[in-house]
Amino acid sequence: MSEVQILHSVQQFLARQHGHFIDGQHVAADGLERIELVNPATEQVVSTIAVGSETDVLQAVKSANQAFKHAWANTSPYERGVKLNKLADLVEQYGEELAQLETLTTGKLINISRHLEVAQTVVFLRYFAGWATKINGQTMQPSIPSANGEKYTAYTMRQPVGVVAGIVPWNFSLMIGVWKIGSALTTGCTIVLKPSEFTTLSLLRLAELAIEAGIPKGVINVVTGKGQTGHFLINSPWVKKVSFTGSVPTGIAIGQQAMASDLTRVSLELGGKNAAAILADANIDEILPALLQATFVHQGQVCAAPERFFIHQSKYDEFTQKVSGAIQQLKIGSPLDESNMFGPLSNKPHFEKVKHYLDLAHQNNQIISGGQVLKGTGYFVEPTLLKVSGVDDPLFIEETFGPVVDVIPFETDEELLEMMNHSRFGLTASLWTNDLSKALRLIPQIEAGSVWINMHTFLDPSVPFGGVKASGIGREFSDAFIEAYTEVKSVMIRY
Ligand code: NAD
């Protein structure tokens, strides 16, 4: 099949001299330094973006602070919800444009950009829109003794924290950006986003659509650049909360910086080395399609996806053979060709990182299937199954964030739990079984923020998401995000 036609509007957007999006409009960057955005399938530069300086960041945060105090504060909760819903309508309307921008800079299969990234962006926006009218405090009855017949009552109110810094990774820039926008705007906060330097364009385009949706200028600002730009943002005294999604080392640095910056609130959504456990009763043929989809979607570059398969000894050979067969059938190629099932890795540094792990596995003779870097143009590697030498093997311990999965046999539940939990990470895990009694006994003992049964890598806005251990601090979605984006004010009244 041939590649999808790049829309004229996308070509025009790519050709722009992008600056930042501040106070409701595109503004030229303070400095001259540019970053090239590379299509990972072709290695061609598709556009360039600006590097945000301290001056750029200051301008954006000032605008967000003004909007927080005036325009957004004067917008009723109902209106905030209406505007977020209007933005969701526009994301749907311009969905193909946004999907193409994502695919051209991340290598995500076009159908994943359309039906996962853009479609879920809409779902999350509508979910957050619904919360705008439902953020309330409580009333209390104090127990203070009354000497002269006086009485007391008390209530709490939830107030927005203020300007939020949203720092976003490259794997699902649009959707993860919207997790932060939706949480901030529905609670009455405003936001300055710092998208990844590899995949910046979809959020720049979304900021334009927000103005079209009637969201006042300054409520959503986007400053582009690398880590240094994010660093300036966190240092700003007007930033009252940092919402970060990315790697553990960056998360730790950001957490320390936020604490040093007068205890700026911070939530961290970080990496994982997630486990999928296939128990003795699992029917391999039945579970395989869902398990493989969850594992290799977007070439395994999904924080929640499994990188360690634990297989009951009785099913190990059957499982390994069938998974190897299935992944060899995945058609690898251009992400713009709708018939392909597996695209490139998203950027060169990440390709080099995954290649390093594949080299290590080759040196130690650990490849079960796959393991090759594709010759020619683009950052393509094969989906790969590995056997690890033990729980201290770097391939068992370190997050590859790629399509590289360990296959590890186990005999008893105790052995399974010990190996699953032998990790500094604790983001997600899954059990594949119809033995409900066993699953319910294992779930509390698994050290992970999310546990799925007969599914994996499914995020739903109504279900809280976040990590334990080094996988993060805080929860997104459901009503859990409200705690992070609002402060509780207690009011007591004597009458
Ligand atoms: P990264 O940590 O390298 O970068 C993330 C963002 O932080 C980028 O925008 C980057 O420019 C910025 N940044 C880097 N240094 C900074 C600094 N000192 N101060 C402020 N900002 C800084 O991560 P990445 O490579 O973009 O993304 C991959 C990682 O993200 C993986 O570890 C993956 O597991 C994790 N991730 C987690 C989730 C989750 O929800 N838990 C979701 C997606 C990705």
Side-chain angles (χ1 to χ4, degrees):
M1 255 175 91
S2 59
E3 298 200 340
V4 301
Q5 191 80 31
I6 299 300
L7 298 172
H8 183 60
S9 57
V10 170
Q11 289 170 4
Q12 284 182 318
F13 197 74
L14 294 172
R16 282 197 206 169
Q17 174 79 356
H18 293 285
H20 310 295
F21 195 89
I22 298 175
D23 210 34
Q25 58 187 330
H26 288 282
V27 297
D30 170 45
L32 294 176
E33 197 188 341
R34 310 283 303 167
I35 299 170
E36 292 184 333
L37 297 182
V38 174
N39 178 342
T42 62
E43 298 183 45
Q44 282 173 351
V45 175
V46 292
S47 191
T48 69
I49 53 159
V51 174
S53 69
E54 202 162 3
T55 309
D56 294 323
V57 167
L58 181 68
Q59 206 187 334
V61 177
K62 263 189 178 169
S63 165
N65 197 43
Q66 279 302 310
F68 171 67
K69 288 190 171 153
H70 303 290
W72 205 230
N74 295 332
T75 306
S76 72
Y78 170 74
E79 271 301 306
R80 292 205 289 260
V82 168
K83 288 176 195 301
L84 281 169
N85 270 321
K86 177 72 185 155
L87 181 58
D89 293 344
L90 291 171
V91 170
E92 267 180 337
Q93 188 180 330
Y94 293 98
E96 181 63 16
E97 199 180 300
L98 291 162
Q100 291 192 4
L101 286 172
E102 272 299 307
T103 290
L104 286 168
T105 51
T106 64
K108 197 172 287 154
L109 295 177
I110 187 68
N111 277 332
I112 298 291
S113 294
R114 288 170 180 157
H115 305 304
L116 199 164
E117 175 116 44
V118 173
Q120 283 299 101
T121 294
V122 172
V123 169
F124 274 94
L125 277 170
R126 294 203 196 289
Y127 180 82
F128 285 119
W131 267 112
T133 48
K134 297 164 194 72
I135 296 168
N136 295 313
Q138 295 175 308
T139 56
M140 289 98 186
Q141 197 178 345
S143 300
I144 301 172
S146 168
N148 299 306
E150 74 274 23
K151 292 190 172 187
Y152 299 89
T153 189
Y155 67 94
T156 59
M157 40 198 306
R158 286 212 165 259
Q159 294 185 298
V161 291
V163 177
V164 174
I167 301 181
V168 182
W170 47 258
N171 63 330
F172 283 92
S173 348
L174 182 68
M175 182 177 72
I176 294 177
V178 155
W179 295 351
K180 300 180 191 318
I181 291 172
S183 310
L185 270 55
T186 202
T187 49
C189 300
T190 57
I191 193 162
V192 180
L193 287 160
K194 209 297 284 169
S196 165
E197 56 272 36
F198 297 105
T199 55
T200 311
L201 298 182
S202 52
L203 282 177
L204 278 173
R205 180 71 183 111
L206 188 83
E208 285 181 348
L209 295 179
I211 295 296
E212 206 176 318
I215 294 173
K217 64 181 187 174
V219 173
I220 299 176
N221 304 274
V222 181
V223 182
T224 67
K226 297 186 184 177
Q228 181 69 25
T229 306
H231 184 87
F232 293 141
L233 192 52
I234 300 163
N235 265 356
S236 166
W238 284 312
V239 166
K240 299 300 177 201
K241 176 189 163 53
V242 179
S243 174
F244 172 74
T245 304
S247 64
V248 173
T250 310
I252 290 173
I254 283 178
Q256 287 170 340
Q257 193 195 345
M259 286 302 104
S261 182
D262 269 347
L263 300 181
T264 302
R265 278 131 196 75
V266 63
S267 49
L268 305 169
E269 292 289 348
L270 309 179
K273 187 77 182 175
N274 309 308
I278 289 84
L279 305 192
D281 71 296
N283 180 320
I284 304 299
D285 292 321
E286 272 177 18
I287 69 169
L288 218 54
L291 180 64
L292 292 182
Q293 169 72 13
T295 306
F296 295 110
V297 60
H298 193 20
Q299 291 73 258
Q301 303 165 120
V302 182
C303 59
E307 287 198 14
R308 296 179 301 160
F309 288 159
F310 294 97
I311 327 295
H312 189 266
Q313 186 67 59
S314 62
K315 293 280 167 76
Y316 182 82
D317 290 340
E318 181 194 355
F319 180 85
T320 308
Q321 191 196 348
K322 287 183 172 166
V323 175
S324 296
I327 62 177
Q328 281 160 18
Q329 302 300 314
L330 294 176
K331 193 172 158 231
I332 306 177
S334 167
L336 284 169
D337 181 335
E338 289 167 335
S339 70
N340 285 330
M341 296 148 88
F342 197 84
L345 297 178
S346 284
N347 56 68
K348 186 143 193 237
H350 187 56
F351 170 71
E352 295 297 343
K353 176 181 157 185
V354 172
K355 193 170 160 305
H356 156 79
Y357 286 114
L358 293 178
D359 289 345
L360 209 63
H362 278 292
Q363 279 161 28
N364 298 325
N365 212 12
Q366 291 175 305
I367 306 281
I368 298 174
S369 66
Q372 297 304 318
V373 170
L374 266 58
K375 291 199 171 61
T377 311
Y379 309 134
F380 292 92
V381 301
E382 288 179 333
T384 299
L385 287 191
L386 300 176
K387 51 177 177 272
V388 288
S389 58
V391 295
D392 295 322
D393 189 327
L395 290 161
F396 184 93
I397 295 170
E398 292 167 24
E399 181 190 40
T400 66
F401 205 50
V404 181
V405 187
D406 306 333
V407 189
I408 305 141
F410 71 91
E411 196 68 62
T412 64
D413 293 349
E414 292 69 33
E415 196 189 353
L416 170 66
L417 282 169
E418 185 149 344
M419 287 196 289
M420 282 178 93
N421 292 337
H422 185 87
S423 173
R424 71 189 290 226
F425 301 105
L427 192 58
T428 71
S430 61
L431 300 172
W432 298 75
T433 180
N434 288 322
D435 186 342
L436 189 59
S437 169
K438 179 170 279 196
L440 289 173
R441 284 164 203 273
L442 289 173
I443 290 167
Q445 301 177 72
I446 296 170
E447 295 169 359
S450 296
V451 179
W452 289 290
I453 307 298
N454 295 325
M455 59 191 288
H456 202 128
T457 325
F458 276 89
L459 304 188
D460 187 280
S462 63
V463 182
F465 179 68
V468 302
K469 303 200 280 186
S471 288
I473 295 176
R475 292 290 179 274
E476 301 197 90
F477 321 153
S478 178
D479 60 354
F481 76 96
I482 296 169
E483 184 73 35
Y485 286 78
T486 60
E487 291 284 12
V488 174
K489 179 172 283 173
S490 300
V491 181
M492 280 185 76
I493 303 169
R494 186 171 70 173
Y495 62 97

